[in-house]
Amino acid sequence: MTTLTRSTTDAAAHAPRAPGSAIRCDADRDRRFMAAALGLARRGLGRTWPNPSVAAIIVAETDAGPVVVGSGVTAAGGRPHAEVVALAEAGIAARGATCYVTLEPCSHHGKSPPCSDALIAAGIARLVSAMEDPNPQVAGAGHRALEASGAAVTVGVGAAKARDIALGHILRVTEGRPMVTLKLAVSADGMIGRQGQGQVAITGRQARARVHLMRAEHDAIAVGIGTVLADDPDLTCRLPGMADRSPVRVVFDTNARLPLGSRMVQGIANAPVWAVVGEAAPEDRMEALQAAGVVVIAAPSGEGGHIDLHAALTLLAVRGLTSVMVEGGAALASSLLSAGLVDRAAIFNGPDEIGADGIAAPDMVRVGLAFSRFTETETRGFGPDLLRGFAREGD
């Protein structure tokens, strides 16, 4: 944790404060309010792209102790930012208060004025920020602006969880691609499906509900064209009351074979459909998909004439996506793993076997995600099924 302020006394001498208020630095209190802010930020995942999901909580000192006078999360579509929402709720109570924010306030003029300026104008006396924004347009400038105004600035409270929430944003600005989460359901004998059978239920109701929540927390869900042709999936979020949280549906489709009569295309009003096709895909097929409302994205070809996945992910990031959850099939999963493009993995292990006619999970998964480049982060039961979560080392 880094403290940028010169001292609490010095900050108090410069920052405007509400009558009777006082800047209070308390490590335990900071952790508790930041934990609350991080919980709010996680609820916004999947809704705020191309911006990260950020939360801000404004806390004023009273004779009875600290009181939350304003809170906000980045709005759907990325604006207004969390700090602006929280300041609007706090009003004059923000003067002399502490603002807890899960990512450094922006300091540059984009489609809206800098949040750092808004916090300064509102008279925030102390800023507690979970992490610096790696965006080169910010990169510490927001923190420095608050400190220069006389506010006390503390950076690093809840940093690990904040980084986990903001990983898609981080990768988009540092590597030019969205975060990729690989989700697979694997049977007891290492299979992810059955030949010629379409969708096969490997996990139960509780595990499937968890998957639908994961869909809602990502900007997009992606599959290969083979999965679409075999299963004809909807790829929507079907949790009660969360239909509007369905992400963009992306199909990696080298030859633009996505059927116009598929559930995805026929249900395009429920959630957007993007087809990532090869540059040599037939023009008439691309035009037909576009006429049906599908966004067609032509990506360069890589080895064997297949879509260059690095380039394809870059094109998705250019369009604003910060996170993509890949649900199949085996070929796409294997290619992403081999290319080192998987950042998170959620492997749901079911208790039953599929048998000799099963479709084998990628080798890296079947050997327990021997994922030499990954660390196991979670093990959780969902009824008879087991979820094992993995994260790329260094993330």
Side-chain angles (χ1 to χ4, degrees), residues 19 36 44 67 85 89 102 111-112 114-115 136 181-182 208 219 224 232 239 257 261-262 288 316 332 357:
V67 174
V85 176
E89 183 177 306
T102 59
K111 294 182 179 180
S112 55
C115 289
T181 300
L182 174 63
R208 289 196 293 271
D219 302 343
D232 193 19
L239 293 176
R257 294 186 292 158
S262 64
L316 294 180
L332 179 58
D357 58 346

Side-chain angles (χ1 to χ4, degrees), residues 47-279:
R47 295 171 58 89
T48 66
W49 64 278
N51 291 339
S53 179
V54 177
I57 293 178
I58 298 174
V59 178
E61 293 290 341
T62 71
D63 291 341
V67 174
V68 174
V69 293
S71 64
V73 182
T74 308
R79 286 181 177 78
H81 291 183
E83 298 92 328
V84 173
V85 176
L87 288 171
E89 183 177 306
I92 61 172
R95 186 161 297 276
T98 296
C99 179
Y100 293 85
V101 65
T102 59
L103 182 69
E104 177 183 7
C106 64
S107 56
H108 61 292
H109 286 270
K111 294 182 179 180
S112 55
C115 289
S116 56
D117 287 359
L119 292 169
I120 292 168
I124 288 295
R126 181 172 180 242
L127 178 77
V128 180
S129 172
M131 62 176 288
E132 182 177 298
D133 189 342
N135 185 343
Q137 294 180 299
V138 185
H143 292 152
R144 291 191 294 272
L146 267 295
E147 188 186 30
S149 77
V153 178
T154 300
V155 181
V157 179
K161 290 184 178 180
R163 179 178 174 80
D164 181 63
I165 293 170
L167 183 60
H169 166 69
I170 294 169
L171 291 174
R172 184 168 181 257
V173 299
T174 60
E175 297 187 18
R177 66 172 180 85
M179 176 189 75
V180 174
T181 300
L182 174 63
K183 173 266 166 184
L184 289 174
V186 183
S187 67
D189 54 349
M191 304 297 175
I192 62 173
R194 182 176 286 117
Q195 299 285 351
Q197 295 293 310
Q199 292 185 358
V200 176
I202 293 175
T203 56
R205 177 181 54 82
Q206 292 169 287
R208 289 196 293 271
R210 172 67 174 183
V211 170
H212 282 269
L213 179 59
M214 291 173 62
R215 289 179 178 180
E217 292 178 339
H218 285 76
D219 302 343
I221 178 171
V223 294
I225 185 61
T227 295
V228 176
L229 296 176
D231 300 344
D232 193 19
D234 285 306
L235 299 184
T236 53
C237 176
R238 295 190 292 278
L239 293 176
M242 295 184 67
D244 63 340
R245 295 293 298 269
S246 292
V248 173
R249 296 170 291 176
V250 176
V251 182
F252 288 90
D253 184 11
T254 302
N255 296 308
R257 294 186 292 158
L258 178 61
L260 298 180
S262 64
R263 290 179 183 172
M264 292 174 62
V265 176
Q266 290 298 304
I268 205 164
N270 299 322
V273 177
W274 295 3
V276 181
V277 305
E279 291 179 319

